[in-house]
Amino acid sequence: MEITVKRSAQVVGFLLVSAAATQALYTVLYLAAPDIVRLPIWSAEAVIFVLLAAFVTSPLVHSRRLTIGWGAILAASVLNVVQVGVGLTMFYPFIDAAKEQEALAPVAGAIVAFSFFVYNAAKTLIALAAVIFGLEKLRAARSGQGTAKALGGVAALVGVVAIFANAASMAMGRDVFGELPLAGGTGVLATLLLALCVSGAVETRD
């Protein structure tokens, strides 16, 4: 089967939707049942982001106007693999060790903080891509394509909010917004809107 640039972009869109779904599920479980084991979700995300990093390279190298957007998706995918890897390999061993020896508690806390820092960095990049692809959708929409224009506008707007929310979380810590999951929530929404914009991006002859 030939994997064309257009098909690669469609796969990228599908993988972004999958990532948004798993992260939304993770957020719901984190708020509703903080102690539940989330390893299966992290494992699924690891596979999704590895594949995303691979498939996004095709439209990236063929792009003219959207290079930064495709590049942001690639960088975010790599950062998410790192973040998920930290969760899968380091969270539970260090948290369990910290329960046994209080001296290790700061180390466990630092690992969790680093993981969230990387998560917010990745979401900032995804939000940047949402702004770029949203504005492109807005620009490319013809007269009468109100739905496409609305999608592009909303994606760009949500992307801007997500950039500031996740950048603030990176700079001031994940508790900057208190119990309000503004950074994660807007980041997941930006991911979903980006997926809807990305799937048809190649059709605009980028």
Side-chain angles (χ1 to χ4, degrees), residues 100-124:
E100 298 293 328
Q101 296 190 23
E102 288 189 22
L104 293 176
V107 179
I111 290 172
V112 172
F114 171 73
S115 177
F116 274 96
F117 180 89
V118 176
Y119 172 83
N120 291 129
K123 279 289 172 277
T124 302

Side-chain angles (χ1 to χ4, degrees), residues 121-132:
K123 279 289 172 277
T124 302
L125 288 167
I126 286 292
L128 174 62
V131 172
I132 292 172

Side-chain angles (χ1 to χ4, degrees), residues 22-48:
T22 59
Q23 291 176 349
L25 178 61
Y26 176 91
T27 301
V28 169
L29 290 176
Y30 180 79
L31 295 174
D35 296 327
I36 193 170
V37 176
R38 294 177 289 274
L39 290 178
I41 298 176
W42 289 341
S43 299
E45 286 185 340
V47 175
I48 289 170

Side-chain angles (χ1 to χ4, degrees), residues 56 70 75 95 100 130 134 138 145 164 167 192:
V56 77
W70 293 116
I95 290 174
E100 298 293 328
L138 199 58
Q145 292 182 317
F164 283 104
L192 180 59

Side-chain angles (χ1 to χ4, degrees), residues 47-124:
V47 175
I48 289 170
F49 288 120
V50 167
L51 292 175
L52 185 58
F55 277 95
V56 77
T57 55
S58 177
L60 171 61
V61 299
H62 287 90
S63 178
R64 295 194 305 273
R65 292 191 306 274
L66 300 173
T67 307
I68 294 176
W70 293 116
I73 296 173
L74 174 60
S77 302
V78 174
L79 286 177
N80 271 306
V81 171
V82 173
Q83 187 261 337
V84 172
V86 170
L88 284 172
T89 63
M90 302 177 73
F91 267 24
Y92 289 107
F94 274 94
I95 290 174
D96 290 341
K99 291 177 181 177
E100 298 293 328
Q101 296 190 23
E102 288 189 22
L104 293 176
V107 179
I111 290 172
V112 172
F114 171 73
S115 177
F116 274 96
F117 180 89
V118 176
Y119 172 83
N120 291 129
K123 279 289 172 277
T124 302

